[in-house]
Amino acid sequence: MTIIQFLKLLKKNIIIIFLVPIILASLVWYSTRNEVKIYSSSGKVYTGVGSGFSMESQGASRLDYFGSKMEFDNILEIFKARETKKDVLIRLFTQGLILESWDPQFISRKNYTKLHEKTPQYIKDLVRDGDNSSEVSITNAPLILVDTSVLIDSRVLHENIYHTVRKGDDLLSVSDFYEVSVSELMEWNQLTKVKLDHGQRIIIEKKPLVVFTNDLNKRDTSDLYVPDTTFFVKANIDEKEFEASVQRLKDYGEQNDTNYIYKLLNYTHPFYSYNAIKSISVKRISGSGLIQVSFKKSDPGICQQTLFFLIGSFKTSYGKLFENQSDHIIAYFEKRVAESSANLQAAENRLLQFNQDNNIINYYEQTRHISDQKEQLDSRYYDEKMKFTAADSVLRQLEKQIESQKGISIYNANLLDYRNRLSEITYQIAINELNDSKDPKAIAAIEELHAESKDLKEKIKKDIDGVYGIQFSPEGVNSNDILSNWLVKTIEYEESKAKLAALYERKKEFQKTYETFAPLGAKLARIEREIDVFEQQYLSLLSSLNQAKLKQQNIAFKSNVKIVDPPFFPLNPEASKRKLFIVAAGMVGFILILFLILVLEYFDDTIKTPKRVSKLTGLPLFTAYPKLVKKKKGINYEYIQNRLLELGAQGLVKIIEDYGLKDKKGPINIVFFSTLMTDGKSLIIDDFSKILRDFDYKVLNLNYKLPNYHPPFAHETTENDFNKTFKVGKSFFNVNSFEELIEHVDTDKENPIHKDLDYVLLEIPSIINHTYSPELIRNADIGIMVVRANRTWQAVDVNSLESFSEFLKEKSLVFLNGANPEFLQDLIGELPRKRSRIRRIIKKAIRLQFFERYQIKK
């Protein structure tokens, strides 16, 4: 499609192209005449994700791209969660009910009144006590004039308020009581006297009212002067009562899916339903840790409060989400720490009981001390044994020397008693000294034993001095020296003997102590090992618990989001988009109808143009004929008709030469046919025969006539000598030649019409709906098929044409009938019409033919 054709298509549908956009724009204008003003508010929340302070690292936390993205996705989903929205809506609804008066900071007067009118009383009772009044006293509010410009069919009337005169009333008393001037009362009631009759009704006030048509298309009234809607009592909400009311409404709404709260949230309430807050926008600001929330609503107070509740609900949900992540971990470690502490305490108690049962203060110090004492005891025992052996040997030698002295005996009774007693005392001294007691009584007892031992030694010495009288021994040794040595060695012998006995007893005690302490060490090591294991386990679990608690505190710290930009109270509504919508509706209508026109044009499979008729039928074009219209629109249709028929007549000469009919004797037989009945063959054959006659050809028209058939808009052919009509009946199938058909219609036998004819033009009925004579078709020299331009070419047409063409000598030609003159310019050139200079210039500009001229300048 060329630009010219596109513009002509627009011109053809110009009315509908402009009518549809105008209608759509008008509908939008009408539907938005009562447009609701929209208020917008927004706020910003700092989350600290990826950039906040961390208690674990004592510095700013860092997240990778995917971790940060996941965290922000979680945040955005919490904002959009159904439970978050539910909490916001119930809080918003509770706030509207709990207010004792309307406050524009929370809700407008209009919406506050609607809320309390439509909310059932039992729901109000869930919010607060029924004794609390929800009405606002506005008796002191200033009165303002109602804006009547927004009311439909409004006019001002006055309502009369009457007073019934009681006994004793007069005009002056009524004037004073109602604070109305006497002149007004007299004027309103047409009074001429001050005295009033008992029971008389008089007008005391003319209240102005506005009568208008409401949204239900019914007449309604309103006061002309109403209290100022900006007058309100500042709201004061008890936080504790508010939270309790919210919880009661939540509990009630969760009971079933048929209660008032559940329906309120899930239906289409303009403020308190899920649908009402679906337009909340939550998005991350660039690559920062800030979240921006915004909301639009017709009530500025509700708009701001919705964002406040949304942010608050998000903070609560976000904090719980993080707390829950570490609660079970902390609970696990607390349980394990308690178990480990109990195990450690039980092991320590076993160690304490073990030490108590075995009298152990410090096992390792005691063991070392016992070992040292044993070494000392062994050393003393062996030293003492050497002394005892030496003393025994010397004493035996001395006793031999003494026995050699006749008359001397050391074995008297007293001496033996002293010796035995000295041995006992020496044994007791050794035992006490081995015990190494620090007790003063033990020390005093040892000193007494030493004193007694000394005393016994003196007595033994005296006895020996008195017993022995011999001065020298046989070896020439002085007897006094021998006795003195014997006494000394005897004392040493007895002391060593006693000490050895004591040391031996002490060694047996140490052996028993070793036998006792040896297994205690293994048991003690096992207990201490258990204590060490439980202590390490306890410390490890305690460290893990501290880390988990630190993590929990860090999470709680991170989840404590901050409001950096609180939602603001919108004072001015957003700019109206009504004009934009109206323009957009017009543009959409224009584009839509233009698109439909182009689509219909593109999918229009009618023949329309000469090129398409040749392409669809597969036949060469003979010529075309324009569509005849009543309104000429400045086009010279007569010229177009004649010129196209002349082109056909000129082309016929060439066709005759091509078909080898130039030297034929007799007329050229041309059959005009069509596949359908309404293709306009009669008009074409009559007009074409006239053109041929204008070229001085002798032409005979043979038009058919069907019995009992009168098609609408049929072309009436005037019958004369060269226009004959024949009836198509059953006998038509048996006609064998044009000559036979001419003889049938020729009534003048003396002057037959078929003599000296140049062309015989035969019209036959539609080949789809009627039968035809094959022999007659074979007798035709040229076949011309007439096709109407405003119809489609279908399979039945193709099949019928193929069957018909089998009987023709040559390939048929196609004659396009009823074509749009705009599509015939390829045949006849520029359409002959009157064009203004501006139109010619526009046409040249579209075709980019700026240098084209209509003639050569001289």
Side-chain angles (χ1 to χ4, degrees):
M1 180 182 293
T2 64
I3 297 178
I4 298 297
Q5 292 175 341
F6 174 73
L7 294 177
K8 289 180 178 179
L9 180 63
L10 296 182
K11 181 181 178 182
K12 177 182 176 181
N13 300 279
I14 190 68
I15 296 177
I16 191 172
I17 288 176
F18 284 100
L19 183 61
V20 171
I22 291 173
I23 292 175
L24 289 178
S26 301
L27 290 175
V28 173
W29 171 83
Y30 182 78
S31 60
T32 58
R33 68 189 186 281
N34 297 323
E35 183 183 15
V36 178
K37 296 181 179 180
I38 300 298
Y39 296 85
S40 176
S41 180
S42 63
K44 295 178 182 178
V45 178
Y46 176 70
T47 61
V49 175
S51 60
F53 182 79
S54 174
M55 297 179 65
E56 296 175 315
S57 61
Q58 300 297 318
S61 61
R62 290 291 183 267
L63 288 178
D64 58 10
Y65 172 78
F66 294 103
S68 176
K69 185 178 183 301
M70 181 181 66
E71 191 69 27
F72 274 102
D73 289 341
N74 293 338
I75 291 173
L76 297 180
E77 289 303 319
I78 292 175
F79 269 110
K80 299 175 183 178
R82 187 177 180 87
E83 283 300 319
T84 304
K85 294 180 179 179
K86 178 181 178 181
D87 183 70
V88 171
L89 292 173
I90 291 181
R91 288 180 179 275
L92 199 63
F93 179 69
T94 304
Q95 185 185 73
L97 292 178
I98 206 171
L99 291 174
E100 295 184 357
S101 65
W102 72 280
D103 188 339
Q105 193 69 30
F106 300 100
I107 187 172
S108 66
R109 178 187 178 89
K110 177 181 178 182
N111 294 322
Y112 177 82
T113 304
K114 286 184 178 180
L115 175 62
H116 282 266
E117 288 178 351
K118 295 183 178 181
T119 304
Q121 186 60 41
Y122 69 90
I123 297 296
K124 296 180 182 179
D125 294 339
L126 290 175
V127 174
R128 55 182 176 178
D129 296 336
D131 296 337
N132 294 337
S133 174
S134 61
E135 298 296 330
V136 183
S137 176
I138 56 173
T139 55
N140 297 324
L143 298 178
I144 60 173
L145 183 66
V146 171
D147 185 8
T148 58
S149 61
V150 298
L151 302 177
I152 303 174
D153 298 334
S154 62
R155 59 176 180 165
V156 178
L157 299 177
H158 290 83
E159 178 186 8
N160 295 331
I161 299 177
Y162 293 91
H163 166 73
T164 302
V165 178
R166 298 184 294 270
K167 186 177 181 180
D169 287 345
D170 57 15
L171 196 61
L172 296 176
S173 62
V174 172
S175 174
D176 292 338
F177 183 79
Y178 290 105
E179 297 181 354
V180 183
S181 65
V182 175
S183 60
E184 288 179 331
L185 292 175
M186 295 183 70
E187 180 183 356
W188 292 342
N189 296 277
Q190 301 296 318
L191 298 177
T192 58
K193 58 181 180 179
V194 176
K195 186 177 179 181
L196 301 175
D197 297 332
H198 180 68
Q200 181 182 359
R201 295 179 70 230
I202 61 173
I203 300 173
I204 58 171
E205 182 181 356
K206 284 185 172 291
K207 185 178 180 181
L209 298 175
V210 179
V211 181
F212 62 95
T213 302
N214 58 21
D215 297 336
L216 301 178
N217 202 23
K218 295 182 179 180
R219 302 296 287 175
D220 198 357
T221 59
S222 174
D223 294 339
L224 182 62
Y225 293 93
V226 295
D228 187 1
T229 56
T230 61
F231 177 81
F232 64 93
V233 179
K234 184 66 177 176
N236 185 17
I237 299 178
D238 186 351
E239 188 66 25
K240 184 176 180 180
E241 179 185 358
F242 176 76
E243 292 297 332
S245 300
V246 169
Q247 190 60 45
R248 285 195 295 270
L249 288 181
K250 284 184 177 180
D251 296 339
Y252 175 74
E254 293 173 355
Q255 292 179 3
N256 51 61
D257 58 355
T258 59
N259 59 72
Y260 180 83
I261 297 298
Y262 187 87
K263 293 180 178 179
L264 177 71
L265 299 180
N266 290 276
Y267 284 168
T268 57
H269 194 281
F271 299 114
Y272 308 114
S273 65
Y274 293 118
N275 186 62
I277 61 173
K278 68 179 182 180
S279 61
I280 292 178
S281 174
V282 184
K283 61 181 180 179
R284 181 185 181 185
I285 301 178
S286 301
S288 66
L290 297 175
I291 296 293
Q292 183 179 32
V293 292
S294 57
F295 186 49
K296 296 179 181 180
K297 215 62 187 171
S298 58
D299 191 316
I302 292 179
C303 179
Q304 183 191 31
Q305 294 302 314
T306 300
L307 293 182
F308 272 127
F309 288 137
L310 178 66
I311 295 174
S313 180
F314 162 75
K315 291 173 66 176
T316 302
S317 301
Y318 190 59
K320 289 181 178 179
L321 177 65
F322 277 99
E323 291 174 3
N324 293 336
Q325 290 180 354
S326 56
D327 285 346
H328 68 283
I329 299 176
I330 292 178
Y332 168 77
F333 280 117
E334 286 179 345
K335 181 180 178 181
R336 292 300 308 277
V337 166
E339 294 176 354
S340 179
S341 176
N343 293 333
L344 178 60
Q345 187 175 2
E348 290 176 345
N349 291 335
R350 287 197 300 273
L351 177 62
L352 177 62
Q353 187 66 35
F354 179 82
N355 290 335
Q356 290 177 348
D357 294 341
N358 296 280
N359 298 321
I360 297 176
I361 299 175
N362 189 326
Y363 176 82
Y364 300 103
E365 289 294 330
Q366 287 180 267
T367 304
R368 185 176 60 81
H369 180 69
I370 290 172
S371 178
D372 292 341
Q373 284 187 335
K374 184 176 181 302
E375 290 179 359
Q376 294 177 5
L377 181 63
D378 288 341
S379 178
R380 289 183 61 184
Y381 178 79
Y382 288 114
D383 291 342
E384 199 64 37
K385 190 173 182 179
M386 292 175 65
K387 289 174 63 178
F388 174 76
T389 303
D392 181 61
S393 178
V394 173
L395 183 60
R396 290 178 183 277
Q397 186 68 29
L398 291 175
E399 286 179 349
K400 288 179 179 181
Q401 291 178 358
I402 293 173
E403 288 178 354
S404 63
Q405 298 291 328
K406 297 179 177 181
I408 300 175
S409 176
I410 60 173
Y411 298 105
N412 55 56
N414 291 334
L415 187 60
L416 291 175
D417 291 336
Y418 292 152
R419 184 176 178 180
N420 292 334
R421 179 61 182 165
L422 179 61
S423 178
E424 292 177 359
I425 292 173
T426 303
Y427 177 78
Q428 290 178 2
I429 292 172
I431 291 297
N432 289 326
E433 287 180 350
L434 289 175
N435 289 333
D436 195 19
S437 176
K438 304 299 182 181
D439 189 2
K441 292 182 179 181
I443 295 173
I446 292 173
E447 291 177 354
E448 289 179 359
L449 291 174
H450 278 291
E452 186 177 357
S453 175
K454 185 178 180 181
D455 183 56
L456 287 173
K457 291 177 180 180
E458 292 293 334
K459 287 180 178 180
I460 291 173
K461 185 177 181 182
K462 288 181 179 180
D463 286 345
I464 291 175
D465 292 341
V467 171
Y468 295 101
I470 302 177
Q471 188 174 2
F472 294 101
S473 66
E475 287 79 5
V477 181
N478 193 328
S479 299
N480 290 333
D481 293 334
I482 295 173
L483 290 175
S484 297
N485 289 335
W486 178 85
L487 178 60
V488 171
K489 295 301 178 181
T490 298
I491 293 171
E492 289 180 0
Y493 174 78
E494 293 298 335
E495 287 179 352
S496 296
K497 181 180 179 181
K499 288 182 180 180
L500 283 175
L503 290 172
Y504 180 75
E505 293 296 330
R506 187 66 173 168
K507 284 185 69 176
K508 290 195 296 182
E509 291 178 2
F510 268 104
Q511 185 64 31
K512 292 180 181 180
T513 303
Y514 260 65
E515 292 176 356
T516 301
F517 265 73
L520 291 181
K523 294 181 181 179
L524 183 64
R526 184 170 64 251
I527 295 175
E528 289 179 342
R529 187 165 57 251
E530 290 180 359
I531 292 175
D532 185 62
V533 170
F534 287 133
E535 183 179 12
Q536 294 298 324
Q537 183 185 45
Y538 173 77
L539 293 176
S540 176
L541 291 173
L542 186 62
S543 176
S544 299
L545 177 62
N546 291 332
Q547 289 294 327
K549 287 188 175 181
L550 182 63
K551 181 73 174 179
Q552 184 186 43
Q553 293 299 321
N554 185 60
I555 290 174
F557 177 78
K558 290 174 63 178
S559 63
N560 187 20
V561 296
K562 302 295 182 181
I563 302 177
V564 297
D565 190 3
F568 59 89
F569 183 83
L571 296 177
N572 299 318
E574 291 188 336
S576 175
K577 297 182 179 179
R578 187 187 182 195
K579 295 181 180 179
L580 180 62
F581 290 154
I582 294 174
V583 174
M587 292 296 296
V588 169
F590 177 79
I591 296 173
L592 179 62
I593 196 64
L594 182 61
F595 175 75
L596 290 176
I597 290 173
L598 293 175
V599 168
L600 292 175
E601 182 69 18
Y602 179 78
F603 288 103
D604 185 7
D605 57 353
T606 56
I607 297 174
K608 290 191 295 187
T609 66
K611 289 183 179 180
R612 282 177 59 83
V613 73
S614 296
K615 180 179 179 181
L616 293 173
T617 61
L619 302 178
L621 180 69
F622 179 69
T623 187
Y625 196 80
K627 180 181 178 181
L628 301 178
V629 295
K630 293 181 178 180
K631 295 182 179 180
K632 302 299 182 180
K633 299 180 181 179
I635 299 177
N636 190 348
Y637 279 91
E638 294 180 359
Y639 168 79
I640 296 174
Q641 296 170 16
N642 293 330
R643 183 57 189 149
L644 289 171
L645 293 175
E646 289 174 355
L647 291 175
Q650 292 174 357
L652 185 58
V653 177
K654 182 67 169 60
I655 293 170
I656 291 173
E657 293 180 355
D658 293 340
Y659 287 0
L661 301 174
K662 187 175 183 181
D663 298 331
K664 181 187 176 184
K665 295 180 180 180
I668 303 299
N669 298 325
I670 303 175
V671 59
F672 282 81
F673 66 95
S674 66
T675 57
L676 298 180
M677 297 178 62
T678 57
D679 283 331
K681 300 184 296 296
S682 299
L683 175 62
I684 296 299
I685 197 172
D686 286 349
D687 289 349
F688 187 62
S689 62
K690 291 179 182 178
I691 291 296
L692 292 177
R693 293 186 186 106
D694 292 340
F695 288 168
D696 295 331
Y697 291 111
K698 191 175 181 181
V699 182
L700 173 63
N701 284 358
L702 295 176
N703 300 101
Y704 73 92
K705 182 178 182 182
L706 295 173
N708 301 324
Y709 176 72
H710 301 282
F713 310 108
H715 175 72
E716 296 294 336
T717 301
T718 303
E719 188 168 350
N720 51 40
D721 292 340
F722 295 99
N723 287 313
K724 295 296 182 179
T725 302
F726 62 93
K727 292 183 179 181
V728 176
K730 295 181 179 180
S731 60
F732 180 69
F733 182 77
N734 298 320
V735 176
N736 296 323
S737 64
F738 276 66
E739 288 78 5
E740 182 181 349
L741 187 59
I742 294 172
E743 289 178 358
H744 176 71
V745 298
D746 189 6
T747 57
D748 190 357
K749 303 299 182 181
E750 295 181 357
N751 297 309
I753 60 176
H754 63 281
K755 291 181 178 180
D756 301 326
L757 288 175
D758 295 314
Y759 295 99
V760 176
L761 306 183
L762 172 64
E763 177 190 4
I764 64 174
S766 61
I767 61 177
I768 292 178
N769 306 104
H770 301 87
T771 59
Y772 52 86
S773 173
E775 295 299 329
L776 179 62
I777 302 305
R778 288 191 180 98
N779 188 244
D781 298 317
I782 300 173
I784 298 177
M785 182 178 67
V786 179
V787 178
R788 182 164 34 90
N790 60 351
R791 75 177 185 91
T792 59
W793 185 255
Q794 301 179 1
V796 65
D797 298 306
V798 175
N799 295 332
S800 300
L801 178 59
E802 289 179 355
S803 299
F804 187 83
S805 298
E806 293 179 356
F807 302 108
L808 289 172
K809 299 175 183 178
E810 301 290 344
K811 190 174 184 179
S812 302
L813 305 173
V814 63
F815 194 120
L816 182 62
N817 184 23
N820 191 322
E822 303 293 344
F823 299 137
L824 300 176
Q825 296 188 58
D826 292 340
L827 300 178
I828 62 174
E830 193 79 23
L831 293 180
R833 70 189 337 167
K834 294 181 179 180
R835 296 181 176 86
S836 63
R837 181 177 180 84
I838 296 177
R839 184 169 180 175
R840 291 197 301 268
I841 293 174
I842 294 175
K843 189 172 183 179
K844 286 182 180 181
I846 293 173
R847 292 181 173 179
L848 302 178
Q849 297 173 346
F850 299 103
F851 302 103
E852 182 184 22
R853 297 291 182 267
Y854 288 99
Q855 59 184 2
I856 298 176
K857 293 183 179 180
K858 296 182 180 179

